[in-house]
Amino acid sequence: MANASSVARPAVLSDLIPASRVRDIALVVGGAALTGLAAQLSFPLPGSPVPVSGQTFAVVLVGAALGMNRAVLSMALYMLAGVAGVPWFAEGTSGFGGASFGYVIGFIAAAAVVGKLAERGGDRTVLRTVGTMVLGNLVIYAFGLPVLIAVAQVDLATGLALGVLPFLLGDALKIAVAAGLLPAAWKLSGR
């Protein structure tokens, strides 16, 4: 016999909101919109076809907050709407292709990885959150770098210099912020 006072433990932060189809749709659309908004915080990087933006921060937060399935849908919506012409990729761009499009594809995979890890408690402590966010960023690079190399027609060393190395410090700062925010949100929720 089940204990009436037992309450299912939420897997991710968004599970603290009462479940409904409307909630899930709003979370998916909201995650895509947050990523599009964060992409507008972008700055061109001299010599690189890839700008510095807030997108990756939004992607890992969406992944952790929504869990794997909703986060993947959210990033797929972000990508498909951008391909369809919504100007919410970095620097207000849209469309298919380009040197940075591989990173956008990587957002979907990163959302899956971060979301799944968050469902297993990967965002409950600072150390686990750092590990989760590092893996998410590595997944984004794993998709983005090969496309950058192919489109820019550069070798691996040049690709790393253009599409990875200049972003490591910023990614470390984004990870540090996430590692502070996510465990703190769990503590505030009392869960």
Side-chain angles (χ1 to χ4, degrees):
M1 182 169 184
N3 182 349
S5 66
S6 68
V7 177
R9 179 179 176 196
V12 292
L13 285 167
S14 61
D15 290 340
L16 296 170
I17 302 167
S20 75
R21 189 171 306 279
V22 171
R23 172 202 71 171
D24 290 341
I25 292 168
L27 290 170
V28 167
V29 172
L34 174 67
T35 306
L37 182 63
Q40 302 322 301
L41 299 171
S42 66
F43 308 94
L45 200 64
S48 176
V50 181
V52 174
S53 78
Q55 285 171 299
T56 55
F57 183 64
V59 170
V60 295
L61 283 181
V62 167
L66 301 189
M68 185 177 78
N69 293 335
R70 289 182 298 239
V72 165
L73 289 172
S74 188
M75 291 306 108
L77 174 62
Y78 172 71
M79 183 184 74
L80 292 173
V83 167
V86 175
W88 64 357
F89 291 159
E91 300 179 318
T93 62
S94 65
F96 179 80
S100 62
F101 195 73
Y103 298 94
V104 175
I105 296 167
F107 295 166
I108 298 169
V113 169
V114 170
K116 189 57 152 177
L117 291 172
E119 289 171 3
R120 295 178 177 191
D123 63 340
R124 305 278 175 124
T125 68
V126 170
L127 189 56
R128 282 192 269 170
T129 303
V130 167
T132 297
M133 300 302 144
V134 166
L135 283 174
N137 277 272
L138 289 174
V139 169
I140 293 168
Y141 286 131
F143 281 81
L145 184 60
V147 173
L148 169 67
I149 288 170
V151 171
Q153 298 180 348
V154 296
D155 61 18
L156 177 60
T158 304
L160 288 167
L162 294 174
V164 175
L165 297 176
F167 302 94
L168 293 178
L169 178 60
D171 286 342
L173 292 172
K174 294 172 196 176
I175 289 168
V177 172
L181 286 176
L182 293 166
W186 278 110
K187 284 188 193 230
L188 285 173
S189 76
R191 306 283 179 126

